[in-house]
Each structure stands twice: as structure tokens, then as C-alpha cells.
């Protein structure tokens, strides 16, 4: 017998907790070469901006131990071309689409949300308030609690469907940011975007990527993001979507136990584009082995005495 | 994407190796100039797959030719027969086809030789004619494959023409010109080929860029569009570009 893997984020019903992470599978349709994307809980688009963006000058990426740094600079085709060229393909392939948006100004977040609001193919919006690599990425808003609350509120007024705020981990008390998003009406929070990181070429004595610092992702960040997911889970009632270093099914289960309702797959897709297939099988077998009928029994089931935490 | 078994590795001296894999789907489908992304089973460091041109095929087998210069390539050179890797490919756009009787000059620098054997096979099948110009710093840096003859150039004159391979071609151009020019090697060599010959002969360049995915997923491998705005992706739009399609300069968002 199979266990029930469905989850809910606000009114959004997902067939399973696996989503793609923004910017790690093109626009999502490219994944179909490797497996049927209709099997995913949801596809999250690359961060879309009002106008197309070329992105940062190379080199944009470098590998570090068990992870990577990127400074893509939100290179994307712009919201309009996404809607005309990509959305129909994603719909035909049967994908559940969540659109991720990024902007430099509060007004632009609102304009983007208005453009997306009328589209029946789009099931939700993820606000990128956390890109470490460009001014447009919203990090300025994302690391200022009041600004984050204000933008979430403005978007909430024009966007009636499921609204998710993607948080930056580069702050001291991420729980407070999650509370601000919740207070402004977000239906969920994604924890988290990449960490600011850096790597140096010791022979040339130059930074390994052109923007000097970049976003650190991959298995190396998983314990860091695990702690943030747990912190946010304890701070808010809305669902938490974990994003950080998932490679195997065990990583996904670990996040679910720590309080995540869904899990995004990012860097792993560069190496294993069909990773979701193995991870789903792994979660399913684990559930059966552990005698769990529904993911609801697993989510946030960590057995721990919070009083033992040195700083809560 | 296939799990490929290592059949064996041959050292070609220095840090150069050829590894043979059983990889039937890729062997069947690959075109000259296309590449594969190789990742190591159960290993998280190196984390990302590594890009290699498919050097040659034989039946169900694929040969990769590489310089062991870092973590991933060294690990590859130490694989034993029977070990498994995951190979994603064939990826990207390779060299254009050539019709019978036409002459192609192939310019290679260093481990750029990796693309030659498979390319030579196809050109022979097409009854096209070709010549290979191979450049390196010294004789010991020149790469030779059995049965493939090259016209060599070395910076120090220790073998063949004394000078760069680009100079050698410039000289040869005074007597003769090919119908097409293909180039694979370090970016500096590609830039020289582009500026010297790009305007004279239809020229195709196989470029390299750091790659995380090889599939167009990450936007990590931008190559500037010639004269225009924005970037191609080396992995998806290339790695082979017509010389007049690309610029080697910078050119991102300026703000
Ligand atoms: C389309 C394509 C085809 C390629 N084909 C071949 C081939 O047939 N044979 C071959 O020997 N190599 C080839 N390369 C280069 C090869 O991918 C790199 O040498 C390899 O990724 C290095 O991995 P590593 O773990 O050994 O080195 P690392 O430990 O990752 O790096 C060692 C050093 O090499 C540099 N480096 C890393 N990746 C690249 C890269 N992609 N290009 C240039 N420098 C890099 C690093 O900055 C560092 O200085 C190809 C690259 C591309 C993009
Ligand atoms: C190459 C690359 C590009 C990314 N682009 C975006 C983006 O456009 N928008 C965004 O919100 N997050 C972006 N991210 C962050 C990922 O969505 C994800 O949150 C982060 O990488 C952590 O997860 P991971 O360790 O599983 O990759 C990007 C990450 C990478 C590696
Ligand atoms: S290597 Fe990822 S897009 Fe080219």
C-alpha cells in the first residue's frame, strides 16, 4: 500500500512535496527531456523580471567543496516572453506552475504580480526577496523586515492566489522575517535562497567569479538551512518550503521532519535532472517502512526539547 | 543519460589520458564536436559533472581524451575497469557537416585534439578532405593519435613549424585556402583564429566555458553574442559557434 504524499500550501494542493528551485532547471520545460515533469508537485520558474535581463558577466559559477557559487544575475527572458513562449508548453506537459518574480522596486513587484494574476495556468507566486547577486534581486527588501512586510502586503492586495515569500538566509533572525511575511498575508515561505560566499584563485590571487561574492548552494549548505527551516517552522503557522542542498531522499525526509511541508530541488538537478524520481521512491518506501500513512504525520515531527537550544 | 562502465584507461604521457567507457546510447547518437557531462557515482566532491568532448566511438564504446588537471579529471584517470560513472549526453551543437570533395582545415591547440578522431571519421565517411594543424608550446606538449597525421607548430621550434599554429596557417593561406576552418583549443587561440581568418573563410570555433549543468539549466556558461546584446549559452547554443556569431569580450548588464 502507498502512503499519502499530498501536501497543501494555502489553497494549493500538491500531489507530492517535491518542487524545483527557481533558476536551476531553466524554465522547467527543458526537464521534460529527462522525465515527465507532471510528476513533480510543482515547477517554480526562473526569477522573472519585467524586462528581459542579460545577466552578469562571466565567470558566473565555480565549484567549492560539496557546493557551488553562482552569480547569474537573474538572466531571464522577461515575464512577457515567459507567458507567451514557455507557459503554454508547461501547461501542455501537465506541470503545476509557480512563477517566481524579482524586481528592484516595490512598484515592479506589484506590476509583475498583476500581470501573472489573471493567468489560470499559474497556480502560485514566489516572491524572490533574496537574490544575493543583483540589486534587482530584492535582497535589500529581503534583509529589511519592514520592507519585506510592505512588499508582501502590496503584492497580496493584487494577487489572490497562493503567495509564497522566498527568504534570504543572510540575516540573523530569519524567524522574524517569516513572521513579517505571514503577517502581510503570505500563504507560505521558502527557506531559503543561497548564502553569500566567496572563493579565491590562489595562483592568480583573483576571485573565482567575476562579482567576487556569489550565492553558495549545494549539499554543503544543508545543515545551515536545516537550522533555518526549524527556526521558521517554530516561528510561523504557514507552511515552510525548504530549499538548500537536497541531493537524496534522506535530505528531503530530514527537512520534512524539521518542519518543511515541501522541498525544492536545486543544484542537484545540474547533475541528476531526474532526481525527483528517486527521491519520491525513497520517501514512499521510508513512509511504508515507518508505518506512516500520510506525510502530515511526518511534517514537523521532530522529537526535541526546545529548552536545550542555546539560542532560540 | 546513462550509467557507463569504465573499460580501461591508457596514459598518453604527461597528464594526458584516454578512458574507454561502455556507453551504447551515447556512442550511437553522438556527432563530432558534441560533449558529455560525467559524474562520479556516490561522490559529492567533486559535486558537479565535468564536461568532455567525445573523442571517438567504437561500436558501443565511447572514448574520452583529457588532461588530468584537477580533482575531477584526476579522479577519472584513476578509475578502474568495472567502475561506473554517469554520462549525460550527447549534449550541445557540434561541427557542421561537410560535403564530398570539400577541404576542411582543423586547427587544434593542446587538448583541443580531443575533438579530432570522431570528426576525422565523419569527414572520411563524407569523402571530404581535411588537414589538421596542431599547435603547442613544445614538442612534448603536442598530442598525436595513431593513424591521424598532423602539421605541427611549436612555440619553441622543437617540432615542426617554429611559431604559433595561427602563424602556420597564415603562411599556408598564401598558397591555398580551405572551404571551411574548424578550431578547438584555448580561448586565446580561438580569438586569434577568429580575428585572422573569420572574415576570409567560413570558420567554426569550439568554445569552452565553466559549466555546471551542460543542459541550459543554470545560465552559468554565457558567450557574448557578436555585436549585439546578451549571451548565448555555450552548452546549449554551442559549444561550436560560427566565428561571426560570437565575441570573446564581456558585456553583461551594466547597472
Ligand atoms: C564543452 C567542453 C568540452 C570539454 N572537453 C574536454 C576534453 O575533451 N578534454 C579535456 O581534457 N577537457 C575538456 N574540457 C575541460 C574540462 O571540462 C575541465 O578540464 C574539467 O572540468 C576540469 O575538472 P577538474 O575537476 O579536473 O578540475 P577542477 O579541480 O575543477 O579545476 C582545475 C582547474 O581547471 C580550471 N577549469 C575547470 N573547469 C574548466 C573548464 N570547463 N574550462 C577551463 N578550465 C576549467 C579551474 O578553474 C582550475 O583552475 C571541456 C570543457 C567543456 C566546457
Ligand atoms: C545557478 C543558480 C541560479 C539560481 N537562480 C535563482 C533565481 O533566479 N531565483 C531564485 O529565487 N533563486 C535562485 N537560485 C537559488 C535556488 O533556487 C535555491 O534556493 C538555492 O540554490 C538553494 O538550494 P540548493 O542547494 O538545492 O541549490 C539559484 C541557484 C543557482 C545554483
Ligand atoms: S552549463 Fe548550465 S546553462 Fe550552460
Amino acid at each position: 500500500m502507498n502512503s499519502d504524499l499530498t501536501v497543501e500550501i494555502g489553497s494549493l494542493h500538491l500531489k507530492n512535496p517535491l518542487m524545483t528551485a527557481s533558476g536551476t532547471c531553466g524554465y522547467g520545460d527543458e526537464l521534460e527531456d529527462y522525465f515527465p515533469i507532471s510528476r513533480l508537485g510543482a515547477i517554480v520558474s526562473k526569477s522573472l523580471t519585467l524586462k528581459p535581463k542579460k545577466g552578469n558577466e562571466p565567470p558566473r559559477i565555480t565549484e567549492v567543496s560539496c557546493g557551488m557559487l553562482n552569480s547569474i544575475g537573474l538572466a531571464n527572458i522577461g515575464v512577457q516572453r515567459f507567458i507567451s513562449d514557455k507557459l503554454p508548453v508547461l501547461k501542455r506537459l501537465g506541470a503545476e506552475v509557480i512563477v517566481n518574480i524579482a524586481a528592484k522596486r516595490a512598484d515592479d513587484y506589484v506590476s509583475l504580480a498583476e500581470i501573472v494574476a489573471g493567468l489560470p495556468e499559474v497556480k502560485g507566486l514566489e516572491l524572490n526577496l533574496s537574490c544575493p547577486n543583483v540589486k534587482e534581486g530584492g535582497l535589500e527588501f529581503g534583509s529589511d523586515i519592514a520592507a519585506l512586510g510592505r512588499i508582501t502586503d502590496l503584492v497580496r492586495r493584487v494577487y489572490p492566489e497562493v503567495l509564497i515569500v522566498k527568504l534570504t538566509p543572510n540575516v540573523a533572525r530569519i524567524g522574524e522575517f517569516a513572521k513579517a511575511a505571514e503577517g502581510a498575508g503570505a500563504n507560505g515561505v521558502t527557506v531559503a535562497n543561497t548564502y553569500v560566499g566567496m572563493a579565491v584563485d590562489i595562483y592568480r590571487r583573483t576571485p573565482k567569479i567575476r562579482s567576487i561574492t556569489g550565492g553558495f548552494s549545494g549539499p554543503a549548505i544543508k545543515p545551515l538551512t536545516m537550522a533555518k527551516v526549524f527556526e521558521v517552522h517554530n516561528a510561523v503557522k504557514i507552511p515552510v518550503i525548504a530549499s538548500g542542498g537536497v541531493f537524496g531522499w534522506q535530505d528531503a525526509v530530514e527537512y520534512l521532519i524539521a518542519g518543511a511541508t515541501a522541498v525544492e530541488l536545486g543544484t542537484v538537478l545540474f547533475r541528476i535532472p531526474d532526481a525527483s524520481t528517486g527521491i519520491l521512491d525513497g520517501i514512499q518506501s521510508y513512509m511504508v517502512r515507518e508505518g506512516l500513512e500520510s506525510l502530515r504525520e511526518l511534517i514537523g515531527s521532530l522529537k526535541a526539547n526546545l529548552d536545550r537550544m542555546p539560542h532560540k | 543519460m546513462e550509467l557507463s562502465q569504465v573499460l580501461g584507461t591508457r596514459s598518453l604521457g604527461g597528464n594526458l589520458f584516454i578512458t574507454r567507457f561502455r556507453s551504447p546510447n551515447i556512442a550511437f547518437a553522438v556527432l563530432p564536436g558534441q560533449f558529455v557531462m560525467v559524474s562520479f557515482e556516490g561522490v559529492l566532491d567533486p559535486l558537479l559533472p565535468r564536461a568532455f568532448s567525445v573523442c571517438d566511438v567504437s561500436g558501443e564504446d565511447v572514448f574520452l581524451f583529457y588532461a588530468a588537471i584537477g580533482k575531477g579529471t584526476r579522479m577519472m584517470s584513476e578509475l578502474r575497469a568495472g567502475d561506473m560513472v554517469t554520462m549525460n549526453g550527447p549534449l550541445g551543437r557540434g561541427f557542421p557537416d561537410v560535403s564530398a570533395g570539400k577541404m576542411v582545415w582543423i586547427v587544434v591547440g593542446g587538448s583541443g585534439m580531443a575533438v579530432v578522431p570522431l570528426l576525422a571519421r565523419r569527414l572520411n565517411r563524407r569523402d571530404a578532405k581535411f588537414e589538421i594543424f596542431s599547435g603547442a608550446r613544445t614538442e612534448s606538449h603536442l598530442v598525436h593519435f595513431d593513424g591521424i597525421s598532423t602539421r605541427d607548430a611549436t612555440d619553441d621550434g622543437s617540432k615542426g613549424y617554429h611559431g604559433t599554429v595561427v602563424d602556420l596557417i597564415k603562411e599556408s593561406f598564401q598558397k591555398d585556402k580551405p572551404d571551411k576552418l574548424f578550431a578547438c583549443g584555448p580561448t586565446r587561440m580561438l580569438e586569434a583564429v577568429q580575428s585572422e581568418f573569420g572574415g576570409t573563410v567560413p570558420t567554426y570555433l569550439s568554445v569552452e566555458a565553466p559549466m555546471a549543468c551542460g543542459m541550459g539549466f543554470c545560465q552559468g556558461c554565457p558567450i557574448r553574442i557578436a555585436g549585439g546584446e546578451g549571451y548565448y549559452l555555450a552548452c546549449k547554443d554551442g559549444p561550436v559557434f560560427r566565428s561571426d556569431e560570437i565575441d570573446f569580450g564581456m558585456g553583461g548588464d551594466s547597472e
Side-chain angles (χ1 to χ4, degrees):
Chain A
M1 209 206 62
N2 276 355
S3 309
D4 176 11
L5 297 188
T6 61
V7 295
E8 259 112 47
I9 297 162
S11 60
L12 182 61
H13 184 80
L14 302 180
K15 58 176 91 64
N16 65 62
L18 298 188
M19 307 169 36
T20 59
S22 179
T24 60
C25 56
Y27 297 94
D29 53 331
E30 291 96 329
L31 272 179
E32 186 75 15
D33 291 347
Y34 295 89
F35 72 100
I37 58 174
S38 60
R39 284 199 201 143
L40 284 162
I43 293 253
V44 180
S45 79
K46 171 81 192 162
S47 278
L48 300 173
T49 48
L50 273 178
K51 295 209 198 94
K53 274 183 69 66
K54 296 187 290 247
N56 290 342
E57 289 176 20
R60 291 178 176 178
I61 51 170
T62 193
E63 186 166 323
V64 295
S65 299
C66 302
M68 66 179 284
L69 303 179
N70 88 80
S71 175
I72 305 300
L74 298 182
N76 81 96
I77 57 178
V79 69
Q80 296 297 356
R81 263 194 65 203
F82 174 80
I83 292 169
S84 61
D85 297 4
K86 295 293 180 180
L87 206 47
V89 182
L90 291 169
K91 188 188 174 196
R92 181 167 51 73
L93 297 173
E96 294 282 336
V97 180
I98 294 175
V99 163
N100 177 304
I101 58 172
K104 196 161 36 175
R105 301 174 9 214
D107 292 356
D108 292 349
Y109 277 102
V110 173
S111 306
L112 282 158
E114 281 172 337
I115 292 170
V116 174
L119 303 167
E121 303 92 331
V122 177
K123 298 297 161 57
L125 198 59
E126 185 179 62
L127 295 187
N128 181 359
L129 293 177
S130 45
C131 178
N133 301 321
V134 288
K135 296 194 192 77
E136 292 74 349
L139 187 58
E140 272 172 57
F141 308 127
S143 44
D144 171 342
I145 293 182
L148 179 137
R150 186 165 48 84
I151 291 180
T152 307
D153 177 62
L154 289 171
V155 170
R156 178 77 288 176
R157 287 163 199 268
V158 301
Y159 191 75
E161 309 299 327
V162 170
L163 178 61
I164 299 161
V165 176
K166 185 165 180 178
L167 302 175
T168 176
N170 301 301
V171 293
R173 292 189 149 259
I174 195 170
E176 300 302 316
F177 289 80
K179 277 187 197 161
E182 182 180 45
N187 304 104
V189 281
T190 302
V191 180
N193 209 311
T194 50
Y195 295 77
V196 173
M198 181 169 158
V200 173
D201 182 326
I202 60 167
Y203 297 105
R204 295 194 188 126
R205 300 193 209 174
T206 54
K208 286 197 175 174
I209 55 178
R210 193 164 188 284
S211 56
I212 305 177
T213 59
F216 181 22
S217 69
I221 70 168
K222 195 189 71 175
L224 300 171
T225 299
M226 193 68 64
K228 307 258 179 216
V229 164
F230 186 60
E231 182 183 341
V232 171
H233 169 69
N234 288 321
V236 297
K237 299 213 167 50
I238 52 176
V240 178
I241 301 161
S243 173
V246 173
F247 256 65
W249 66 265
Q250 297 91 335
D251 305 322
V253 167
E254 199 178 338
Y255 273 125
L256 293 165
I257 294 170
T261 295
V263 172
E264 292 185 352
L265 306 180
T267 302
V268 63
L269 301 177
F270 301 157
R271 169 159 161 179
I272 317 171
D274 63 349
S276 57
T277 308
I279 294 177
L280 268 185
D281 288 350
I283 296 176
Q284 187 59 257
S285 321
Y286 170 87
M287 297 280 287
V288 171
R289 264 198 320 275
E290 298 293 312
L292 300 167
E293 279 169 20
S294 154
L295 268 192
R296 274 170 281 272
E297 298 166 55
L298 187 65
I299 293 167
S301 63
L302 185 77
K303 299 168 194 158
N305 180 352
L306 279 184
D307 293 337
R308 294 200 198 130
M309 260 182 121
H311 38 76
K312 277 181 276 187
Chain B
M1 194 101 179
E2 65 187 330
L3 206 55
S4 307
Q5 190 177 16
V6 176
L7 300 175
T9 295
R10 194 153 58 89
S11 163
L12 297 189
N15 61 1
L16 299 176
F17 297 89
I18 290 189
T19 301
R20 179 176 190 152
F21 299 88
R22 175 66 39 87
S23 206
N25 295 330
I26 291 167
F28 175 75
V30 68
L31 299 171
Q34 286 189 305
F35 67 101
V36 292
M37 295 293 282
V38 177
S39 48
F40 305 99
E41 289 308 292
V43 173
L44 287 187
D45 189 13
L47 180 72
L48 299 169
R50 298 299 195 254
F52 300 95
S53 307
V54 172
C55 175
D56 205 357
V57 299
S58 168
E60 301 195 321
D61 300 347
V62 162
F63 296 83
L64 302 183
F65 166 74
Y66 55 96
I69 54 156
K71 260 194 254 186
T73 47
R74 265 200 302 273
M75 189 172 284
M76 191 142 106
S77 71
E78 287 158 9
L79 292 171
R80 300 289 179 80
D83 288 348
M84 303 300 260
V85 299
T86 297
M87 234 187 243
N88 187 9
L91 299 165
R93 176 176 73 161
F95 289 101
D97 220 337
V98 178
S99 30
K102 298 288 184 198
M103 170 57 98
V104 185
W105 286 3
I106 305 166
V107 194
V108 299
S111 57
M113 262 312 262
V115 299
V116 170
L118 188 65
L119 183 57
R121 238 175 239 289
R122 176 163 81 178
L123 293 170
N124 281 327
R125 225 176 22 242
R126 295 284 187 269
D127 282 324
K129 295 176 284 180
F130 61 90
E131 257 192 272
I132 299 152
F133 296 77
S134 173
R137 263 178 295 154
T138 72
E139 176 171 16
S140 65
H141 292 91
L142 281 169
V143 178
H144 287 285
F145 290 128
D146 293 344
I148 294 180
S149 54
T150 53
R151 286 176 64 184
D152 298 328
T154 50
D155 294 349
D156 67 351
S158 52
K159 175 93 195 295
Y161 178 85
H162 188 167
T164 70
V165 69
V166 174
D167 292 333
L168 170 59
I169 293 183
K170 246 199 289 193
E171 239 181 67
S172 313
F173 257 50
Q174 287 165 5
K175 291 183 236 120
D176 205 3
K177 276 198 182 62
D179 298 296
K180 283 194 171 103
L181 194 62
F182 293 169
C184 184
T187 303
R188 255 184 309 115
M189 183 197 94
L190 298 181
E191 279 187 82
V193 169
Q194 182 187 47
S195 67
E196 293 289 345
F197 317 116
T200 323
V201 178
T203 299
Y204 294 83
L205 310 172
S206 175
V207 305
E208 266 192 32
M211 289 184 181
C213 73
M215 301 173 278
F217 287 9
C218 74
Q219 301 269 347
C221 61
I223 300 287
R224 193 175 176 188
I225 298 174
E229 296 283 294
Y231 297 101
Y232 291 117
L233 294 179
C235 67
K236 220 173 116 180
D237 304 314
V240 177
F241 292 95
R242 226 183 45 222
S243 158
D244 57 5
E245 289 176 321
I246 58 171
D247 273 349
F248 286 100
M250 296 294 183
D253 288 323
S254 49
E255 325 157 60

